[in-house]
Amino acid sequence: MKIILPDIPNLRDIDVYVKNGGYGATLLKAFSMRPEAVTDEVKKSGLRGRGGAAFPTGLKWTFMPKGSDRKKFLLINGDESEPGSFKDRQIFEFNPHQMIEGILLASYAMQVSHAYVYIRGEYAHWIRMVEKALADAYSRGFVGDRMRETFKPAGEGVPYSVDITVHKGAGAYIVGEESALMNSLEGERGYPRIKPPFPANFGLWGYPTTINNVETIANIPPIMQMGAEAYAKIGEPKHPGTLLLGVSGHVNRPGVYEVPSGTLLTDMIYNYAQGVPGNKKIKLVIPGGSSMPPLRGDSLEGVKMDAESLKAVGSSIGTGGIMVMDEDTDIVKVLQRISKFYWHESCGQCTPCREGTGWLHKILKRINAGEGSKADVELLEDVAKNIEGRTICALGEAAAWPVKFTVQRFPEEFAQKVSNEPHDQVKLNKVHALRAGGLEPVEIHVPLVVRK
Amino acid sequence: MDEEDGAWLNFRRIFVLQTMFTEQEQNELSLLIKRYEKPQAALLPVLWRIQEKQGWIDQDGMQEAAKICGVPKSHVLGVVSFYTMFFEKPMGRHHVQVCTNVSCMIRGGEKIYDTMKECLGIGHLERTPDGLFSLEEVECMGACGGAPMIAVGERFFEKVTAEDAAAVVQQIRNTGTVPAPIETVQLPELTNL
């Protein structure tokens, strides 16, 4: 089942999108309901955010003050910078109009006056695609003042129009944090804000604001189209819907796959991504982008890809970026690279994060250079423990978790680096047979490839 | 900063009128500012336009952005230095970016970076003497499915080898333009079990 990236050629062309039912019955149906009824529908669907925290979307929308005359804003987070995550790019490229339609529905539900789509600057190529889509939608009267003419209110609906603006970022991982995103849009440095106040009360320029991920918002049109009950039946009941999972690293067919939530991790690796090159075994899998706790190769059996199931095995769905590493990977070196990333991206507001991320990187560098000791491994855990929970935003956890959990789950790898004594080998997974044809094949979305 | 740039800056400071934007661009900017609650929010878009015009953001550019957005110049410097994609010094006409983050690293990104360093004869955030290229070791650019990847300016090249990357550079040297990667779907062969 593919509801976000359906197999329709040229869907980013507005004519094709309209021909396939876009900007039509679903919007008219929603615009003939009371705005709160749209929120209720999303609440009933059980949709959870796809940006990392998996927070219930409908519930988030209800935090917005109702019936007040204050301006309200919707901010779409397309800053996608988590290493291992590259799913929103597929929406920009293959189905931008569904995102725009989702923005219209969400804006109506919360009676927002202006919606902003913040896209990372590195995606300049894809920003132009979204801008083109938006310009087309404006010229057809689907967005902006002319909406009131195009979608005449019926039933219990209220006359409504919203403007949408695409905003280009300039390269900063931290801006993906929602309050830093607001600061960045306001023309500030991307510093996260202390919460409370929460964005629903004091967001962009002090007005009530809701921040949703691109994939989350692209899920709204299918919900309104098929109804909350039908949507809630897709995949795992506690985290329903389809997920865009990006598989990268040591797999034969990396790419973004749209699958129902609760799909087995081993199916993602061995069926969709077609296994590991050279038929090697797997040492480590990060299931949700580089800041999430890694899983050992021998603990992959039966793990399902949804928020609750991954929580139960001590990891997290994050942004759904699955990174696979084979038996020959140097885990400590990988961890050093991850630490370097968070060190580079720390905004510098909070001392534990600013200093701690640098320490983590330096200690790991020392261990990798063969100059580490057992005490260094303990020091890593200690530093990580002192960053976690002591910072304004979650970058502290993002930097501390990979270190903390890798040290805990791969002690053999560290033992090998810091001593000459005999040590255990990391247990690897059981290699699965490829099951091509066993599940419905999913198209790979890799847009730009150099000709060989 | 080389001599040529310095001369151009001085020229502009003395002879060129206050703004670097044409009348049409100024109109576009005023429309853009209206899309936000406060002019300050247009700071990133304004800085992007300045960088597109001259390749980097100099002191005059910051002054101009400050004036347009109604903020002190010191604030503009704070913003420019915070975001990695804004350059405070002249960069090459073709900015080569090599990702060495995890997904790319485990598929050979570091080797590509070393090849690029050797091939261009420059290091991180440096510019070749002819001004044609600059190099940057970048963090994840959101192309992990196509790892390892490089980007030249805004254009992504995915699933590249070190040889591919060197070929891209060579082609730019020969023709002066960035080769266009074709849109295609490439499926790697399956391993037999």
Side-chain angles (χ1 to χ4, degrees):
Chain A
M1 170 173 259
K2 296 169 82 175
I3 54 177
I4 308 294
L5 298 172
D7 294 316
I8 301 168
N10 293 322
L11 196 55
R12 72 164 177 260
D13 186 327
I14 194 162
D15 289 320
V16 179
Y17 187 72
V18 169
K19 212 175 281 172
N20 283 284
Y23 297 114
T26 310
L27 281 179
L28 287 171
K29 178 178 150 197
F31 289 168
S32 67
M33 294 159 75
R34 282 179 302 109
E36 304 84 65
V38 177
T39 307
D40 284 343
E41 194 74 6
V42 173
K43 223 170 154 181
K44 255 190 278 170
S45 75
L47 175 67
R48 295 172 69 167
R50 307 288 198 242
F55 191 81
T57 307
L59 185 61
K60 196 185 226 182
W61 290 6
T62 61
F63 296 158
M64 291 286 270
K66 273 171 278 295
S68 81
D69 295 334
R70 292 176 73 196
K71 278 184 188 171
K72 292 173 213 165
F73 295 104
L74 175 67
L75 178 50
I76 306 304
N77 188 345
D79 193 60
E80 182 164 76
S81 305
E82 179 81 12
S85 171
F86 49 106
K87 63 189 173 63
D88 295 344
R89 199 182 100 179
Q90 314 294 325
I91 298 175
F92 300 144
E93 176 156 357
F94 293 98
N95 205 356
H97 287 293
Q98 187 162 321
M99 175 187 80
I100 295 170
E101 204 175 323
I103 293 171
L104 298 181
L105 291 164
S107 302
Y108 177 76
M110 291 177 275
Q111 292 291 300
V112 159
S113 57
H114 202 128
Y116 298 94
V117 186
Y118 189 113
I119 306 177
R120 66 182 304 197
E122 288 88 343
Y123 282 179
H125 184 71
W126 289 269
I127 290 173
R128 276 197 289 277
M129 288 180 188
V130 175
E131 279 175 342
K132 167 80 169 57
L134 188 59
D136 287 347
Y138 259 103
S139 70
R140 301 282 177 99
F142 296 146
V143 184
D145 286 342
R146 283 168 57 207
M147 274 176 78
R148 287 169 196 260
E149 297 297 313
T150 317
F151 308 108
K152 288 221 166 65
E156 294 177 306
V158 292
Y160 180 70
S161 71
V162 64
D163 276 305
I164 301 176
T165 302
V166 176
H167 193 90
K168 182 183 182 185
Y173 167 78
I174 188 62
V175 168
E177 200 276 341
E178 59 175 16
S179 58
L181 189 73
M182 294 191 294
N183 272 346
S184 181
L185 189 108
E186 288 181 17
E188 300 277 341
R189 272 171 281 183
Y191 281 172
R193 302 175 183 175
I194 294 174
K195 289 181 253 186
F198 291 98
N201 291 317
F202 191 95
L204 279 172
W205 303 289
Y207 295 105
T209 304
T210 291
I211 297 127
N212 282 138
N213 178 263
V214 171
E215 190 190 340
T216 313
I217 220 74
N219 269 289
I220 308 297
I223 291 173
M224 296 310 293
Q225 191 195 351
M226 68 175 75
E229 282 83 20
Y231 184 88
K233 287 194 186 110
I234 305 171
E236 284 290 304
K238 284 188 173 168
H239 188 186
T242 62
L243 302 177
L244 296 184
L245 299 178
V247 192
S248 65
H250 292 136
V251 287
N252 281 318
R253 209 172 63 166
V256 170
Y257 298 93
E258 182 174 354
V259 295
S261 65
T263 300
L264 287 174
L265 180 56
T266 45
D267 261 355
M268 290 311 300
I269 297 169
Y270 287 100
N271 182 266
Y272 292 101
Q274 293 292 321
V276 181
N279 205 18
K280 286 184 189 167
K281 292 183 170 189
I282 296 169
K283 193 188 264 182
L284 177 148
V285 173
I286 304 175
S290 71
S291 64
M292 295 304 156
L295 297 172
R296 285 172 66 108
D298 60 350
S299 64
L300 304 179
E301 291 305 314
V303 173
K304 287 185 192 171
M305 291 302 294
D306 66 87
E308 298 302 322
S309 309
L310 279 167
K311 207 166 142 191
V313 295
S315 190
S316 174
I317 185 80
T319 52
I322 302 171
M323 296 157 109
V324 181
M325 292 168 213
D326 70 18
E327 55 189 296
D328 296 330
T329 314
D330 184 340
I331 300 298
V332 186
K333 206 165 158 241
V334 167
L335 189 62
Q336 183 192 330
R337 187 65 189 81
I338 293 177
S339 295
K340 188 182 165 200
F341 173 73
Y342 291 105
W343 181 34
H344 179 262
E345 300 297 341
S346 173
C347 80
Q349 278 192 108
C350 315
T351 313
C353 173
R354 182 184 64 232
E355 303 298 324
T357 49
W359 290 354
L360 290 176
H361 177 249
K362 280 180 204 159
I363 299 166
L364 282 161
K365 205 172 162 187
R366 184 160 73 214
I367 294 175
N368 271 317
E371 294 157 7
S373 65
K374 276 181 189 163
D376 278 336
V377 182
E378 284 158 26
L379 188 59
L380 275 179
E381 277 190 290
D382 190 50
V383 173
K385 204 173 72 194
N386 280 295
I387 299 175
E388 203 183 334
R390 289 180 163 81
T391 53
I392 292 175
C393 80
L395 194 133
E397 279 79 27
W401 278 5
V403 173
K404 181 173 130 185
F405 288 101
T406 309
V407 171
Q408 273 176 17
R409 291 174 189 177
F410 295 87
E412 307 92 336
E413 290 278 312
F414 289 89
Q416 186 182 347
K417 291 268 180 179
V418 297
S419 76
N420 297 322
E421 294 159 29
H423 51 82
D424 300 335
Q425 290 291 325
V426 175
K427 284 206 191 78
L428 304 166
N429 74 321
K430 177 179 112 221
V431 174
H432 288 232
L434 298 187
R435 278 177 42 209
L439 289 172
E440 63 176 292
V442 175
E443 189 193 335
I444 183 174
H445 290 290
V446 179
L448 299 171
V449 186
V450 180
R451 174 177 275 161
K452 290 280 160 68
Chain B
M1 190 189 305
D2 59 30
E3 214 173 295
E4 208 180 317
D5 289 314
W8 163 239
L9 276 183
N10 269 332
F11 175 77
R12 219 180 70 199
R13 209 166 279 137
I14 298 164
F15 295 106
V16 181
L17 291 172
Q18 281 174 335
T19 174
M20 69 174 74
F21 292 109
T22 63
E23 206 166 313
Q24 195 201 337
E25 286 168 335
Q26 287 179 43
N27 290 338
E28 280 172 21
L29 281 177
S30 58
L31 282 177
L32 177 84
I33 289 172
K34 284 199 189 108
R35 298 191 80 85
Y36 301 97
E37 283 296 293
K38 289 182 181 162
Q40 191 189 335
L43 185 53
L44 257 56
V46 167
L47 288 171
W48 270 120
R49 279 170 173 75
I50 293 171
Q51 181 152 307
E52 274 159 26
K53 266 181 178 294
Q54 52 188 31
W56 62 295
I57 298 167
D58 58 3
Q59 293 293 321
D60 284 7
M62 289 184 209
Q63 186 71 55
E64 179 137 8
K67 208 160 67 184
I68 293 171
C69 299
V71 290
K73 190 180 162 196
S74 57
H75 179 83
V76 179
L77 175 62
V79 169
V80 170
S81 58
F82 184 85
Y83 296 96
T84 53
M85 291 183 80
F86 291 139
F87 302 131
E88 290 174 79
K89 60 179 184 185
M91 283 301 188
R93 205 140 26 97
H94 301 286
H95 187 56
V96 180
Q97 300 141 82
V98 185
C99 176
T100 59
N101 210 305
V102 179
S103 288
C104 286
M105 175 188 126
I106 61 178
R107 294 192 75 124
E110 286 180 331
K111 192 184 157 210
I112 294 176
Y113 181 57
D114 289 340
T115 309
M116 285 290 100
K117 272 199 288 195
E118 201 180 311
C119 187
L120 298 170
I122 48 175
H124 180 59
L125 287 178
E126 286 174 3
R127 183 169 75 143
T128 54
D130 59 2
L132 194 56
F133 292 105
S134 49
L135 181 63
E136 186 178 0
E137 181 185 6
V138 290
E139 297 296 350
C140 187
M141 293 189 78
C144 313
M149 66 84 70
I150 67 165
V152 180
E154 294 175 352
R155 192 166 276 165
F156 283 25
F157 296 86
E158 303 185 12
K159 291 188 179 169
V160 290
T161 60
E163 291 76 44
D164 292 335
V168 170
V169 166
Q170 194 53 44
Q171 197 168 338
I172 297 171
R173 273 200 190 116
N174 293 344
T175 64
T177 53
V178 184
I182 47 162
E183 292 203 18
T184 173
V185 173
Q186 194 183 46
L187 298 179
E189 283 176 26
L190 301 182
T191 45
N192 295 318
L193 280 180

